[in-house]
Amino acid sequence: MRRDPEKTYEKILEVSSKLFFEKGYENTSLQDIVNNLDGLTKGAVYHHFSSKDDILDAIEDKLLVENNPFKKVLVYSELTGIELIKKAFLLGIEDQEQQYYNKISMKIWRQSEKIQSPKMIAKMIEINKNILAPDLCKIVEKGIKDGSVDTKYPMEISEQILLQINIGLLLAISDITEKELTGKIEFISEWTKNMGVDFLDKELKEKLKHVFMEYCE
Amino acid sequence: MRRDPEKTYEKILEVSSKLFFEKGYENTSLQDIVNNLDGLTKGAVYHHFSSKDDILDAIEDKLLVENNPFKKVLVYSELTGIELIKKAFLLGIEDQEQQYYNKISMKIWRQSEKIQSPKMIAKMIEINKNILAPDLCKIVEKGIKDGSVDTKYPMEISEQILLQINIGLLLAISDITEKELTGKIEFISEWTKNMGVDFLDKELKEKLKHVFMEYCE
Protein backbone atom coordinates (compact mmCIF):
# COMPACT_ATOMS: atom_id res chain seq x y z
CA MET A 1 0.00 0.00 0.00
CA ARG A 2 1.35 3.40 -0.97
CA ARG A 3 0.87 6.17 1.51
CA ASP A 4 0.39 9.83 0.80
CA PRO A 5 3.70 11.45 1.89
CA GLU A 6 2.01 14.63 3.07
CA LYS A 7 -0.44 12.65 5.23
CA THR A 8 2.43 10.60 6.62
CA TYR A 9 4.30 13.79 7.48
CA GLU A 10 1.28 15.25 9.28
CA LYS A 11 0.62 11.94 11.05
CA ILE A 12 4.20 11.86 12.37
CA LEU A 13 3.83 15.40 13.70
CA GLU A 14 0.50 14.59 15.30
CA VAL A 15 1.69 11.40 17.00
CA SER A 16 4.93 13.01 18.13
CA SER A 17 3.19 16.06 19.65
CA LYS A 18 0.86 13.74 21.52
CA LEU A 19 3.76 11.69 22.91
CA PHE A 20 5.89 14.75 23.74
CA PHE A 21 2.90 16.10 25.63
CA GLU A 22 2.05 12.89 27.48
CA LYS A 23 5.51 11.49 28.24
CA GLY A 24 7.68 14.57 27.88
CA TYR A 25 10.16 15.19 25.07
CA GLU A 26 13.18 13.59 26.74
CA ASN A 27 11.25 10.44 27.61
CA THR A 28 9.96 9.93 24.09
CA SER A 29 12.21 7.93 21.78
CA LEU A 30 12.05 7.78 18.02
CA GLN A 31 11.04 4.14 18.49
CA ASP A 32 8.06 5.22 20.65
CA ILE A 33 6.96 7.45 17.81
CA VAL A 34 7.32 4.62 15.27
CA ASN A 35 5.35 2.26 17.55
CA ASN A 36 2.41 4.63 17.46
CA LEU A 37 2.35 5.07 13.71
CA ASP A 38 0.22 2.02 12.76
CA GLY A 39 2.83 0.00 10.99
CA LEU A 40 5.04 2.72 9.59
CA THR A 41 8.71 1.79 9.72
CA LYS A 42 11.55 3.75 11.25
CA GLY A 43 12.83 4.16 7.69
CA ALA A 44 9.63 5.94 6.70
CA VAL A 45 10.05 8.35 9.58
CA TYR A 46 13.69 8.93 8.62
CA HIS A 47 12.52 9.66 5.10
CA HIS A 48 10.90 12.81 6.48
CA PHE A 49 12.99 13.65 9.54
CA SER A 50 16.61 13.15 10.48
CA SER A 51 16.02 13.07 14.27
CA LYS A 52 13.62 13.67 17.11
CA ASP A 53 14.93 17.22 17.27
CA ASP A 54 14.02 17.64 13.65
CA ILE A 55 10.43 16.58 14.40
CA LEU A 56 10.20 19.12 17.21
CA ASP A 57 11.51 21.71 14.80
CA ALA A 58 8.74 20.93 12.33
CA ILE A 59 6.07 21.06 15.07
CA GLU A 60 7.32 24.51 16.06
CA ASP A 61 7.37 25.69 12.48
CA LYS A 62 3.86 24.50 11.93
CA LEU A 63 2.47 26.08 15.06
CA LEU A 64 4.43 29.28 15.33
CA VAL A 65 4.45 30.15 11.66
CA GLU A 66 1.15 28.73 10.39
CA ASN A 67 -0.75 29.96 13.43
CA ASN A 68 0.83 33.42 13.27
CA PRO A 69 -1.97 35.50 14.83
CA PHE A 70 -0.58 38.77 13.47
CA LYS A 71 -1.28 37.46 9.95
CA LYS A 72 -4.64 36.00 10.87
CA VAL A 73 -6.09 39.26 12.20
CA LEU A 74 -5.44 41.15 8.96
CA VAL A 75 -8.88 40.06 7.71
CA TYR A 76 -10.49 42.36 10.28
CA SER A 77 -9.74 45.43 8.21
CA GLU A 78 -12.40 47.52 9.98
CA LEU A 79 -10.46 47.43 13.27
CA THR A 80 -7.89 50.05 14.32
CA GLY A 81 -4.24 49.12 14.79
CA ILE A 82 -4.51 48.86 18.54
CA GLU A 83 -7.68 46.75 18.28
CA LEU A 84 -5.89 44.43 15.87
CA ILE A 85 -2.99 43.96 18.30
CA LYS A 86 -5.41 43.07 21.12
CA LYS A 87 -7.30 40.74 18.81
CA ALA A 88 -4.08 38.99 17.75
CA PHE A 89 -3.05 38.31 21.34
CA LEU A 90 -6.55 37.08 22.18
CA LEU A 91 -6.45 34.76 19.16
CA GLY A 92 -3.07 33.44 20.36
CA ILE A 93 -4.48 32.81 23.81
CA GLU A 94 -7.73 31.27 22.63
CA ASP A 95 -6.36 29.08 19.84
CA GLN A 96 -6.59 25.48 21.03
CA GLU A 97 -3.75 24.24 18.84
CA GLN A 98 -1.49 27.05 20.03
CA GLN A 99 -2.30 26.27 23.66
CA TYR A 100 -1.59 22.59 23.14
CA TYR A 101 1.79 23.47 21.64
CA ASN A 102 2.57 25.88 24.47
CA LYS A 103 1.85 23.13 26.95
CA ILE A 104 4.23 20.80 25.15
CA SER A 105 6.87 23.54 25.26
CA MET A 106 6.32 23.98 28.97
CA LYS A 107 6.74 20.25 29.52
CA ILE A 108 10.05 20.35 27.70
CA TRP A 109 11.28 23.42 29.53
CA ARG A 110 10.20 22.23 32.92
CA GLN A 111 11.99 18.91 32.92
CA SER A 112 14.86 20.42 34.82
CA GLU A 113 15.98 23.73 36.19
CA LYS A 114 18.29 24.12 33.24
CA ILE A 115 16.89 25.02 29.89
CA GLN A 116 16.38 21.64 28.28
CA SER A 117 15.78 22.54 24.73
CA PRO A 118 18.09 25.34 23.70
CA LYS A 119 17.31 24.71 20.04
CA MET A 120 13.67 25.43 20.71
CA ILE A 121 14.49 28.72 22.35
CA ALA A 122 16.87 29.74 19.61
CA LYS A 123 14.18 28.92 17.08
CA MET A 124 11.62 30.95 18.98
CA ILE A 125 13.98 33.94 19.06
CA GLU A 126 14.50 33.59 15.32
CA ILE A 127 10.80 33.28 14.52
CA ASN A 128 10.04 36.22 16.82
CA LYS A 129 12.58 38.37 15.07
CA ASN A 130 12.15 37.30 11.46
CA ILE A 131 8.46 36.47 11.17
CA LEU A 132 6.29 37.60 14.07
CA ALA A 133 7.89 41.00 14.76
CA PRO A 134 7.70 42.20 11.13
CA ASP A 135 4.02 41.15 11.03
CA LEU A 136 3.22 42.81 14.35
CA CYS A 137 5.09 45.87 13.10
CA LYS A 138 2.76 46.16 10.10
CA ILE A 139 -0.18 46.35 12.50
CA VAL A 140 1.60 48.92 14.68
CA GLU A 141 2.22 51.01 11.55
CA LYS A 142 -1.46 50.77 10.65
CA GLY A 143 -2.15 52.02 14.19
CA ILE A 144 0.17 54.99 13.68
CA LYS A 145 -1.76 55.91 10.53
CA ASP A 146 -5.20 55.63 12.14
CA GLY A 147 -4.03 57.40 15.30
CA SER A 148 -4.64 54.51 17.71
CA VAL A 149 -0.88 54.04 18.26
CA ASP A 150 1.67 56.75 18.93
CA THR A 151 5.32 55.68 18.65
CA LYS A 152 8.48 56.53 16.77
CA TYR A 153 9.68 52.94 17.19
CA PRO A 154 7.23 50.54 15.51
CA MET A 155 9.77 47.78 14.82
CA GLU A 156 11.65 48.10 18.10
CA ILE A 157 8.42 47.94 20.10
CA SER A 158 7.17 44.97 18.11
CA GLU A 159 10.37 43.01 18.68
CA GLN A 160 10.39 43.98 22.31
CA ILE A 161 6.81 42.99 23.08
CA LEU A 162 7.39 39.57 21.55
CA LEU A 163 10.72 39.10 23.29
CA GLN A 164 9.10 39.87 26.62
CA ILE A 165 6.04 37.71 26.17
CA ASN A 166 7.50 34.77 24.27
CA ILE A 167 10.90 34.65 25.92
CA GLY A 168 10.71 36.63 29.15
CA LEU A 169 7.34 35.30 30.28
CA LEU A 170 7.33 31.82 28.81
CA LEU A 171 10.82 31.06 30.09
CA ALA A 172 10.18 32.50 33.52
CA ILE A 173 7.09 30.46 34.00
CA SER A 174 8.54 27.23 35.32
CA ASP A 175 9.24 28.70 38.74
CA ILE A 176 7.11 31.82 38.82
CA THR A 177 4.61 32.77 41.52
CA GLU A 178 1.30 34.40 40.68
CA LYS A 179 2.56 37.64 42.22
CA GLU A 180 5.69 37.65 40.07
CA LEU A 181 3.65 36.91 36.97
CA THR A 182 1.27 39.76 37.78
CA GLY A 183 4.26 42.08 38.21
CA LYS A 184 5.71 41.11 34.85
CA ILE A 185 2.42 41.59 33.05
CA GLU A 186 1.75 44.94 34.76
CA PHE A 187 5.23 46.04 33.80
CA ILE A 188 4.73 45.19 30.12
CA SER A 189 1.36 46.92 30.20
CA GLU A 190 2.84 50.05 31.72
CA TRP A 191 5.89 50.50 29.50
CA THR A 192 4.02 49.77 26.28
CA LYS A 193 1.36 52.31 27.33
CA ASN A 194 4.11 54.84 28.13
CA MET A 195 5.58 54.21 24.70
CA GLY A 196 2.28 54.78 22.89
CA VAL A 197 1.13 51.20 22.24
CA ASP A 198 -1.59 50.77 24.82
CA PHE A 199 -2.76 47.25 23.98
CA LEU A 200 -2.59 45.37 27.29
CA ASP A 201 -5.94 46.32 28.79
CA LYS A 202 -7.57 44.77 31.84
CA GLU A 203 -9.27 41.97 29.92
CA LEU A 204 -6.12 40.93 28.07
CA LYS A 205 -3.99 41.13 31.24
CA GLU A 206 -6.41 38.84 33.07
CA LYS A 207 -6.53 36.36 30.21
CA LEU A 208 -2.75 36.33 29.82
CA LYS A 209 -2.36 35.74 33.53
CA HIS A 210 -4.92 32.98 33.47
CA VAL A 211 -3.36 31.15 30.55
CA PHE A 212 0.18 31.46 31.94
CA MET A 213 -0.88 30.21 35.37
CA GLU A 214 -2.46 27.26 33.63
CA TYR A 215 0.90 26.40 32.05
CA CYS A 216 2.39 26.25 35.53
CA GLU A 217 0.03 23.58 36.77
CA MET B 1 55.82 15.39 34.54
CA ARG B 2 52.72 16.11 36.58
CA ARG B 3 50.71 19.12 35.57
CA ASP B 4 48.67 21.35 37.79
CA PRO B 5 45.05 20.45 36.93
CA GLU B 6 43.84 24.00 37.45
CA LYS B 7 46.50 25.37 35.11
CA THR B 8 45.64 22.71 32.54
CA TYR B 9 41.99 23.68 32.77
CA GLU B 10 42.78 27.35 32.25
CA LYS B 11 45.18 26.54 29.42
CA ILE B 12 42.48 24.55 27.61
CA LEU B 13 40.07 27.47 27.91
CA GLU B 14 42.68 29.91 26.69
CA VAL B 15 43.74 27.86 23.68
CA SER B 16 40.14 27.03 22.78
CA SER B 17 39.01 30.67 22.94
CA LYS B 18 41.88 31.64 20.71
CA LEU B 19 41.01 28.96 18.14
CA PHE B 20 37.26 29.66 18.28
CA PHE B 21 38.10 33.30 17.64
CA GLU B 22 40.56 32.68 14.81
CA LYS B 23 38.97 29.74 13.00
CA GLY B 24 35.37 29.95 14.18
CA TYR B 25 33.71 27.51 16.54
CA GLU B 26 32.38 25.11 13.90
CA ASN B 27 35.76 24.90 12.16
CA THR B 28 37.66 24.07 15.34
CA SER B 29 37.88 20.39 16.20
CA LEU B 30 38.76 18.91 19.56
CA GLN B 31 41.91 17.62 17.83
CA ASP B 32 42.86 21.19 16.83
CA ILE B 33 42.60 22.15 20.47
CA VAL B 34 44.75 19.19 21.55
CA ASN B 35 47.34 20.05 18.88
CA ASN B 36 47.79 23.48 20.41
CA LEU B 37 48.22 22.29 23.96
CA ASP B 38 51.98 21.57 23.95
CA GLY B 39 51.85 17.81 24.26
CA LEU B 40 48.69 17.34 26.26
CA THR B 41 46.73 14.31 25.13
CA LYS B 42 43.11 14.11 24.10
CA GLY B 43 42.57 12.07 27.25
CA ALA B 44 43.78 14.95 29.40
CA VAL B 45 41.29 17.26 27.71
CA TYR B 46 38.52 14.69 28.21
CA HIS B 47 39.46 14.55 31.87
CA HIS B 48 38.18 18.13 32.19
CA PHE B 49 35.59 18.41 29.43
CA SER B 50 33.21 15.97 27.76
CA SER B 51 32.99 17.84 24.44
CA LYS B 52 33.77 21.01 22.52
CA ASP B 53 30.37 22.29 23.60
CA ASP B 54 31.38 21.73 27.18
CA ILE B 55 34.49 23.87 26.68
CA LEU B 56 32.39 26.68 25.22
CA ASP B 57 30.11 26.37 28.22
CA ALA B 58 33.06 26.84 30.58
CA ILE B 59 34.34 29.85 28.64
CA GLU B 60 30.93 31.45 28.91
CA ASP B 61 30.70 30.69 32.62
CA LYS B 62 34.09 32.19 33.23
CA LEU B 63 33.42 35.36 31.30
CA LEU B 64 29.79 36.03 32.00
CA VAL B 65 29.81 35.07 35.64
CA GLU B 66 33.32 35.99 36.79
CA ASN B 67 33.26 39.27 34.87
CA ASN B 68 29.80 40.20 36.14
CA PRO B 69 30.05 44.03 36.06
CA PHE B 70 27.06 44.47 38.38
CA LYS B 71 29.06 42.77 41.13
CA LYS B 72 32.27 44.58 40.30
CA VAL B 73 30.80 48.07 40.67
CA LEU B 74 29.59 47.46 44.20
CA VAL B 75 32.96 48.68 45.50
CA TYR B 76 32.05 52.21 44.38
CA SER B 77 29.79 52.72 47.34
CA GLU B 78 29.90 56.51 47.05
CA LEU B 79 28.03 56.44 43.72
CA THR B 80 24.24 56.64 43.38
CA GLY B 81 22.24 53.75 41.95
CA ILE B 82 21.95 55.29 38.51
CA GLU B 83 25.68 56.11 38.44
CA LEU B 84 26.46 52.51 39.36
CA ILE B 85 24.31 51.20 36.51
CA LYS B 86 26.14 53.46 34.02
CA LYS B 87 29.48 52.45 35.50
CA ALA B 88 28.63 48.75 35.19
CA PHE B 89 27.74 49.07 31.51
CA LEU B 90 30.91 51.08 30.86
CA LEU B 91 32.95 48.39 32.62
CA GLY B 92 31.30 45.75 30.45
CA ILE B 93 32.12 47.74 27.33
CA GLU B 94 35.67 48.57 28.33
CA ASP B 95 36.70 45.18 29.71
CA GLN B 96 39.15 43.64 27.22
CA GLU B 97 38.40 40.07 28.18
CA GLN B 98 34.66 40.68 27.87
CA GLN B 99 35.13 42.23 24.44
CA TYR B 100 37.25 39.31 23.30
CA TYR B 101 34.55 36.90 24.41
CA ASN B 102 31.84 38.95 22.73
CA LYS B 103 33.79 38.80 19.50
CA ILE B 104 34.05 35.01 19.79
CA SER B 105 30.29 34.89 20.34
CA MET B 106 29.72 37.03 17.27
CA LYS B 107 31.89 34.70 15.20
CA ILE B 108 29.82 31.76 16.32
CA TRP B 109 26.53 33.48 15.70
CA ARG B 110 27.53 34.86 12.33
CA GLN B 111 28.56 31.62 10.69
CA SER B 112 25.17 31.33 9.10
CA GLU B 113 21.84 33.06 9.01
CA LYS B 114 20.49 30.53 11.44
CA ILE B 115 21.42 30.70 15.06
CA GLN B 116 24.42 28.41 15.22
CA SER B 117 24.85 27.90 18.87
CA PRO B 118 21.46 27.60 20.55
CA LYS B 119 23.09 26.29 23.71
CA MET B 120 25.03 29.52 24.05
CA ILE B 121 21.88 31.57 23.74
CA ALA B 122 20.00 29.43 26.21
CA LYS B 123 22.88 29.80 28.62
CA MET B 124 22.93 33.55 28.16
CA ILE B 125 19.20 33.74 28.88
CA GLU B 126 19.73 31.68 32.02
CA ILE B 127 22.69 33.73 33.25
CA ASN B 128 20.79 36.93 32.48
CA LYS B 129 17.82 35.79 34.49
CA ASN B 130 19.50 33.98 37.39
CA ILE B 131 22.71 35.93 37.96
CA LEU B 132 22.94 39.27 36.17
CA ALA B 133 19.35 40.47 36.64
CA PRO B 134 19.28 39.89 40.43
CA ASP B 135 22.60 41.76 40.72
CA LEU B 136 21.44 44.65 38.54
CA CYS B 137 18.22 44.67 40.57
CA LYS B 138 20.18 45.28 43.78
CA ILE B 139 21.70 48.38 42.21
CA VAL B 140 18.30 49.57 40.96
CA GLU B 141 16.96 49.15 44.50
CA LYS B 142 19.86 51.17 45.86
CA GLY B 143 18.88 53.83 43.30
CA ILE B 144 15.28 53.80 44.52
CA LYS B 145 16.54 54.43 48.07
CA ASP B 146 18.88 57.28 47.09
CA GLY B 147 16.27 58.80 44.77
CA SER B 148 18.28 58.45 41.53
CA VAL B 149 15.87 55.80 40.22
CA ASP B 150 12.08 55.91 40.24
CA THR B 151 10.31 52.65 39.46
CA LYS B 152 7.82 50.21 40.94
CA TYR B 153 9.39 47.39 38.92
CA PRO B 154 13.06 46.97 39.88
CA MET B 155 13.32 43.28 38.96
CA GLU B 156 11.20 43.48 35.83
CA ILE B 157 13.23 46.41 34.52
CA SER B 158 16.52 44.70 35.33
CA GLU B 159 15.52 41.53 33.48
CA GLN B 160 14.21 43.55 30.59
CA ILE B 161 17.27 45.74 30.12
CA LEU B 162 19.50 42.67 30.02
CA LEU B 163 17.19 40.76 27.70
CA GLN B 164 17.21 43.70 25.29
CA ILE B 165 20.93 44.33 25.36
CA ASN B 166 22.26 40.80 25.63
CA ILE B 167 19.67 39.03 23.51
CA GLY B 168 17.86 41.66 21.44
CA LEU B 169 20.96 43.65 20.46
CA LEU B 170 23.63 40.96 20.38
CA LEU B 171 21.47 38.62 18.32
CA ALA B 172 20.33 41.31 15.93
CA ILE B 173 23.83 42.41 15.23
CA SER B 174 24.83 39.99 12.50
CA ASP B 175 22.74 41.76 9.88
CA ILE B 176 22.06 45.14 11.41
CA THR B 177 22.69 48.52 9.80
CA GLU B 178 24.02 51.47 11.80
CA LYS B 179 20.63 53.14 11.48
CA GLU B 180 18.81 50.11 12.89
CA LEU B 181 21.29 49.85 15.74
CA THR B 182 20.85 53.54 16.55
CA GLY B 183 17.07 53.03 16.57
CA LYS B 184 17.31 50.10 18.97
CA ILE B 185 19.61 51.94 21.36
CA GLU B 186 17.45 55.11 21.27
CA PHE B 187 14.42 52.97 21.97
CA ILE B 188 16.00 51.32 25.02
CA SER B 189 17.14 54.73 26.23
CA GLU B 190 13.68 56.20 25.87
CA TRP B 191 11.61 53.46 27.51
CA THR B 192 13.98 53.03 30.45
CA LYS B 193 13.91 56.82 30.97
CA ASN B 194 10.09 56.76 30.78
CA MET B 195 10.10 53.99 33.38
CA GLY B 196 12.33 55.90 35.81
CA VAL B 197 15.73 54.27 35.15
CA ASP B 198 17.49 56.95 33.12
CA PHE B 199 20.89 55.30 32.67
CA LEU B 200 21.48 55.37 28.91
CA ASP B 201 22.91 58.85 28.52
CA LYS B 202 24.61 60.28 25.44
CA GLU B 203 28.08 59.00 26.34
CA LEU B 204 26.89 55.45 27.04
CA LYS B 205 24.74 55.37 23.91
CA GLU B 206 27.70 56.41 21.75
CA LYS B 207 29.99 53.85 23.35
CA LEU B 208 27.42 51.06 23.03
CA LYS B 209 26.91 51.93 19.39
CA HIS B 210 30.62 52.01 18.78
CA VAL B 211 31.30 48.66 20.40
CA PHE B 212 28.36 46.97 18.68
CA MET B 213 29.37 48.30 15.27
CA GLU B 214 32.82 46.94 15.92
CA TYR B 215 31.33 43.46 16.43
CA CYS B 216 29.77 43.74 12.97
CA GLU B 217 33.06 44.24 11.19
Side-chain angles (χ1 to χ4, degrees):
Chain A
M1 188 185 82
R2 285 183 66 87
R3 290 168 189 262
D4 175 345
E6 187 147 343
K7 274 196 189 152
T8 304
Y9 182 91
E10 291 296 330
K11 181 78 184 164
I12 297 169
L13 294 190
E14 186 198 319
V15 163
S16 305
S17 315
K18 192 162 172 283
L19 289 169
F20 294 163
F21 184 57
E22 285 168 3
K23 298 165 61 109
Y25 179 72
E26 298 299 322
N27 299 326
T28 303
S29 67
L30 208 66
Q31 191 59 53
D32 292 329
I33 295 170
V34 172
N35 293 345
N36 283 275
L37 280 169
D38 310 326
L40 265 192
T41 62
K42 214 169 196 164
V45 176
Y46 275 121
H47 175 72
H48 293 281
F49 301 100
S50 62
S51 65
K52 194 172 76 169
D53 244 32
D54 202 23
I55 298 178
L56 182 61
D57 213 46
I59 295 174
E60 290 184 292
D61 251 347
K62 191 174 148 67
L63 282 158
L64 291 174
V65 180
E66 286 179 19
N67 275 352
N68 178 351
F70 306 111
K71 265 229 149 59
K72 282 189 187 165
V73 293
L74 291 178
V75 294
Y76 302 100
S77 53
E78 75 284 8
L79 298 182
T80 66
I82 206 78
E83 286 165 340
L84 285 176
I85 300 175
K86 287 183 201 175
K87 184 101 188 164
F89 278 98
L90 283 175
L91 274 189
I93 289 171
E94 287 160 1
D95 185 306
Q96 292 299 319
E97 219 182 337
Q98 189 67 45
Q99 287 316 307
Y100 183 63
Y101 163 74
N102 285 344
K103 284 178 184 166
I104 297 174
S105 309
M106 291 304 117
K107 272 233 169 171
I108 295 175
W109 286 340
R110 291 172 66 193
Q111 288 179 349
S112 138
E113 277 174 41
K114 288 248 172 190
I115 290 174
Q116 278 301 295
S117 185
K119 263 184 124 169
M120 205 160 140
I121 290 160
K123 173 141 198 167
M124 203 149 180
I125 292 180
E126 259 181 40
I127 291 178
N128 265 348
K129 184 171 170 296
N130 299 328
I131 296 172
L132 302 180
D135 283 339
L136 173 53
C137 184
K138 280 177 212 147
I139 306 179
V140 171
E141 278 164 351
K142 177 173 157 56
I144 296 173
K145 277 199 196 113
D146 66 33
S148 62
V149 165
D150 176 23
T151 178
K152 283 187 290 176
Y153 305 99
M155 182 52 100
E156 289 81 0
I157 279 195
S158 302
E159 282 181 2
Q160 206 36 48
I161 290 173
L162 292 168
L163 197 61
Q164 285 198 37
I165 293 185
N166 288 347
I167 308 298
L169 275 188
L170 273 180
L171 283 188
I173 216 112
S174 63
D175 52 2
I176 207 170
T177 63
E178 190 168 346
K179 194 170 161 241
E180 284 167 339
L181 179 63
T182 305
K184 280 175 194 284
I185 293 174
E186 284 299 333
F187 170 71
I188 301 174
S189 167
E190 201 164 308
W191 82 257
T192 47
K193 187 177 169 184
N194 278 352
M195 296 296 278
V197 189
D198 188 9
F199 77 104
L200 251 180
D201 60 13
K202 213 174 159 221
E203 180 197 3
L204 193 50
K205 280 194 282 193
E206 280 308 313
K207 289 200 173 169
L208 260 187
K209 206 166 99 179
H210 180 77
V211 78
F212 276 95
M213 285 314 291
E214 220 172 59
Y215 296 153
C216 298
E217 276 158 20
Chain B
M1 189 187 81
R2 283 184 66 88
R3 291 168 188 259
D4 177 343
E6 187 146 343
K7 274 195 190 152
T8 304
Y9 181 91
E10 291 296 329
K11 181 77 185 164
I12 296 170
L13 294 190
E14 188 197 319
V15 163
S16 307
S17 316
K18 194 163 171 282
L19 288 170
F20 294 163
F21 184 57
E22 287 168 1
K23 296 164 61 105
Y25 179 72
E26 297 300 320
N27 299 326
T28 303
S29 66
L30 208 65
Q31 191 58 52
D32 292 329
I33 296 169
V34 172
N35 293 345
N36 283 277
L37 280 169
D38 309 327
L40 265 192
T41 61
K42 213 168 197 166
V45 175
Y46 275 120
H47 175 71
H48 293 282
F49 300 100
S50 61
S51 64
K52 195 173 76 168
D53 245 31
D54 202 23
I55 298 179
L56 182 61
D57 212 45
I59 296 174
E60 291 184 291
D61 251 346
K62 191 173 150 67
L63 282 158
L64 291 173
V65 181
E66 284 178 20
N67 274 354
N68 178 351
F70 307 111
K71 266 229 147 56
K72 283 187 186 165
V73 294
L74 291 178
V75 296
Y76 303 99
S77 54
E78 75 284 9
L79 298 184
T80 65
I82 207 78
E83 287 166 339
L84 286 175
I85 300 175
K86 287 181 201 175
K87 184 103 188 162
F89 279 98
L90 282 175
L91 273 188
I93 290 171
E94 285 159 1
D95 185 305
Q96 292 299 318
E97 219 181 337
Q98 189 67 46
Q99 286 317 308
Y100 183 62
Y101 163 74
N102 285 343
K103 283 178 184 166
I104 296 174
S105 309
M106 290 305 117
K107 272 234 169 173
I108 295 175
W109 287 340
R110 291 173 66 191
Q111 286 178 349
S112 136
E113 277 174 40
K114 287 247 171 192
I115 290 173
Q116 278 301 294
S117 186
K119 262 184 127 169
M120 205 159 141
I121 290 159
K123 174 141 197 166
M124 204 151 181
I125 292 180
E126 256 181 42
I127 291 178
N128 264 349
K129 181 170 173 295
N130 299 329
I131 297 171
L132 303 180
D135 282 340
L136 173 53
C137 184
K138 280 179 210 145
I139 307 178
V140 171
E141 278 164 352
K142 178 174 157 53
I144 295 173
K145 277 199 196 114
D146 65 32
S148 63
V149 165
D150 176 24
T151 177
K152 285 186 291 177
Y153 305 99
M155 183 51 100
E156 288 82 1
I157 279 195
S158 302
E159 282 182 1
Q160 206 37 48
I161 290 172
L162 292 168
L163 197 62
Q164 286 199 36
I165 293 185
N166 288 346
I167 307 297
L169 275 189
L170 274 181
L171 283 188
I173 216 111
S174 63
D175 52 3
I176 207 171
T177 63
E178 190 169 345
K179 193 171 162 239
E180 285 168 338
L181 178 64
T182 305
K184 279 174 194 285
I185 293 174
E186 285 299 335
F187 170 71
I188 301 174
S189 169
E190 199 164 309
W191 83 257
T192 48
K193 188 176 170 184
N194 278 353
M195 296 296 279
V197 190
D198 188 10
F199 77 104
L200 251 179
D201 60 13
K202 212 172 160 222
E203 181 198 3
L204 194 49
K205 279 193 283 192
E206 280 307 312
K207 288 200 173 170
L208 260 186
K209 205 167 101 178
H210 179 77
V211 79
F212 276 94
M213 284 315 290
E214 220 171 59
Y215 297 152
C216 299
E217 275 158 20

